[in-house]
Amino acid sequence: MSSPRQTLPGTEQPPAPEPLDPAPVHPVDESRPWGRILLFGIQHVLVMAATPISAIFLMSATLRLDAGLTVDLLSAAFVLSGAGSLVQSLGPWKFGPRLPFVMLPGGAPLILFLAIAEQHGLRTASGAVILTALFIFVVLPLFSRLLAFFPALVIGTMIVIVGINLVKVGAVLVTGRPGTPGFADPTNLMLGMATIGFTVAFYLLFTGILRQLAVMLGLLAGTALAALLGHMDLSRAAEGGLVSLPQLMPFGSPQFNLLAALPLMLYSLASMAEATGQTVINAEAVGKDIDRRTAVPKTIRGDALTSLAGGFVGLPLMVTSGENIGIVRVTGVRSRYVTAAAGVVLIAIGFLAPVIRAISVIPSAVIGGTAMVVFAVITVLGVQMLGRSDLDSHTHTFVCAVALALGLLPILIPGVYAGFSPNLRILLESGVAVGACVAAVLNILFHHVRPGIAARLTAHRTESDR
């Protein structure tokens, strides 16, 4: 029978090895108390909520949708925004980069959706979203090869055109369409300008997170002013039940038209390039090293999956947003569980019918004033991207100028292509698609084809000299 080991007199037993410290948790993966995470998540929602509201109001005003359908689409927008935020933040399987991301509708995909809907109907527009989401899955393996044709010069030019187009569309919410009754109504103009003024005042007077909330606070102040002036119909807010569910195929069964979906598919290529930048910028903002070859495809898959679901509930393409990165920088809270909590809050809002109905009674002029500010930021981002594109180069300036000229033509002069066939017109009248295609083609000609031809001619002359 063995006996326990004795320590001899005058000797010391060697100390037991200390347990190794567990690997430190990166702030992105840090889980905080749920109460604080929820508060920070609500903060993200307050900043981002204006985007889905603006997007759906823009859809409703442009396509003349009834109040009930507008409420259903608002519910779907909040639910899908929340679901997409959860996918991108938590990263299940091969979807989502596990970074603090929020997903939203709006931007260029919304404009293209509206253009397709006006030309071919809402059912075809929904079909185009579904086709584009599937198209993204198909071309994703080839995406790395396509990136060379969408440098900052091309994407920046496209984003400038997107921003200008969106500001124009937001302004129509304030003024109404030219030639229609009530166009440029002084009260609506005053409400729109007052909303912008409130936003500027809040941004000027506040600091920190309140400054980040300036857009949302401006929206609330403009709404309060409209209520004081008696320009809000509050009767709809008290109608209906307590729970709202997104309606499946609200426009009817989707119709699939490849030609009609082409502008959206073309845009999706640039959107994938933009998602690359968003993923890299987000990772840099939170200080996390990522493998772009795996993280970027996960972001794009998350976009495509959410957009695929959105197409069946009447929404445009859903895109990963980088606007919330500013909140991350201001607060220093980098946890992806915060944006996951924001996703839960967005889903809860989407199911709460009274909240959705309360949002739906906000006057379009107030939404338009907010949208003009939010969408103008997109133009500024495009200008910033062009600023990093070496516009001192005459070639770069020429490519940008031609793409802007042709891309802005259908925006500045509506109906310029009215004499063309409907299928061709839907592509030409999309200034975003035209600008992106022209910039990409010129970039290929000047920076890929021309240098190759020049190199061959030089080699041929050298051989001839011999």
Side-chain angles (χ1 to χ4, degrees):
M1 185 174 179
S2 62
S3 60
R5 187 171 57 185
Q6 301 288 330
T7 302
L8 297 176
T11 65
E12 295 181 359
Q13 187 169 348
E18 295 181 2
L20 297 175
D21 292 334
V25 178
H26 193 280
V28 170
D29 302 313
E30 184 180 9
S31 179
R32 295 167 175 260
W34 284 107
R36 294 182 62 188
I37 285 179
L38 184 59
L39 287 176
F40 285 128
I42 292 173
Q43 177 176 264
H44 277 265
V45 170
L46 289 175
V47 175
M48 312 301 290
T51 300
I53 295 171
S54 302
I56 299 306
F57 269 75
L58 188 58
M59 282 183 61
S60 179
T62 304
L63 303 175
R64 299 174 180 82
L65 305 179
D66 61 54
L69 187 53
T70 301
V71 170
D72 289 338
L73 290 174
L74 271 173
S75 174
F78 277 101
V79 171
L80 264 294
S81 295
S85 301
L86 285 170
V87 168
Q88 300 290 27
S89 301
L90 299 181
W93 195 44
K94 295 183 178 181
F95 296 90
R98 297 188 177 183
L99 290 170
F101 269 130
V102 174
M103 286 197 69
L104 298 167
L110 173 61
I111 299 303
L112 294 173
F113 180 90
L114 295 178
I116 296 170
E118 289 185 319
Q119 291 290 331
H120 293 270
L122 282 163
R123 295 171 63 187
T124 302
S126 293
V129 172
I130 296 170
L131 287 174
T132 302
L134 296 174
F135 172 74
I136 293 173
F137 282 117
V138 171
V139 302
L140 184 55
L142 303 175
F143 175 63
S144 58
R145 299 179 183 179
L146 297 173
L147 272 179
F149 304 115
F150 287 90
L153 177 66
V154 176
I155 298 175
T157 302
M158 180 191 65
I159 292 176
V160 169
I161 297 173
V162 168
I164 293 173
N165 195 18
L166 286 174
V167 171
K168 177 184 176 182
V169 174
V172 170
L173 287 177
V174 178
T175 64
R177 292 179 177 271
T180 60
F183 171 68
D185 178 82
T187 302
N188 288 334
L189 286 173
M190 184 271 293
L191 283 175
M193 296 303 107
T195 301
I196 295 175
F198 286 135
T199 304
V200 172
F202 291 135
Y203 197 84
L204 175 67
L205 298 175
F206 293 153
T207 58
I209 192 59
L210 287 178
R211 198 178 201 192
Q212 291 290 327
L213 296 172
V215 172
M216 195 65 191
L217 293 174
L219 173 68
L220 295 175
T223 303
L225 178 62
L228 290 174
L229 295 176
H231 282 267
M232 285 183 63
D233 182 10
L234 299 176
S235 59
R236 295 200 311 268
E239 298 174 353
L242 296 177
V243 178
S244 176
L245 296 175
Q247 185 179 346
L248 186 64
M249 294 184 289
F251 312 127
S253 300
Q255 292 183 342
F256 302 104
N257 184 327
L258 280 174
L259 188 59
L262 184 59
L264 206 54
M265 290 181 176
L266 289 174
Y267 170 79
S268 71
L269 297 177
S271 177
M272 292 163 72
E274 187 177 352
T276 302
Q278 294 279 22
T279 304
V280 173
I281 291 173
N282 195 315
E284 290 179 354
V286 299
K288 184 173 184 179
D289 293 329
I290 60 170
D291 183 352
R292 299 185 187 186
R293 293 171 299 178
T294 57
V296 170
K298 287 181 178 180
T299 302
I300 296 172
R301 287 191 202 101
D303 285 355
L305 179 65
T306 310
S307 296
L308 183 63
F312 286 100
V313 291
L315 296 180
L317 282 181
M318 304 288 292
V319 294
T320 298
S321 172
E323 298 171 23
N324 63 301
I325 295 175
I327 308 174
V328 173
R329 288 176 175 173
V330 169
T331 63
V333 180
R334 295 179 278 176
S335 173
R336 59 190 173 95
Y337 294 106
V338 169
T339 47
V344 174
V345 173
L346 286 167
I347 292 174
I349 291 175
F351 286 130
L352 294 175
V355 176
I356 295 297
R357 286 196 299 269
I359 292 173
S360 70
V361 301
I362 300 175
S364 61
V366 174
I367 292 292
T370 301
M372 289 173 65
V373 175
V374 172
F375 295 154
V377 173
I378 297 175
T379 308
V380 176
L381 293 176
V383 172
Q384 288 178 338
M385 188 169 290
L386 287 176
R388 299 193 297 269
S389 304
D390 188 23
L391 289 182
D392 290 336
S393 165
H394 295 300
T395 301
H396 286 188
T397 301
F398 182 80
V399 169
C400 180
V402 174
L404 285 175
L406 295 178
L408 291 175
L409 178 62
I411 297 172
L412 300 177
I413 307 179
V416 66
Y417 297 117
F420 291 79
S421 66
N423 288 331
L424 183 59
R425 192 167 68 239
I426 191 170
L427 178 60
L428 294 176
E429 289 184 346
S430 170
V432 177
V434 170
C437 288
V438 171
V441 170
L442 292 180
N443 178 69
I444 293 170
L445 291 175
F446 281 102
H447 296 109
H448 296 271
V449 176
R450 188 170 182 266
I453 294 175
R456 290 180 182 178
L457 290 175
T458 302
H460 179 71
R461 289 172 184 168
T462 302
E463 292 176 359
S464 299
D465 292 341
R466 293 176 182 174

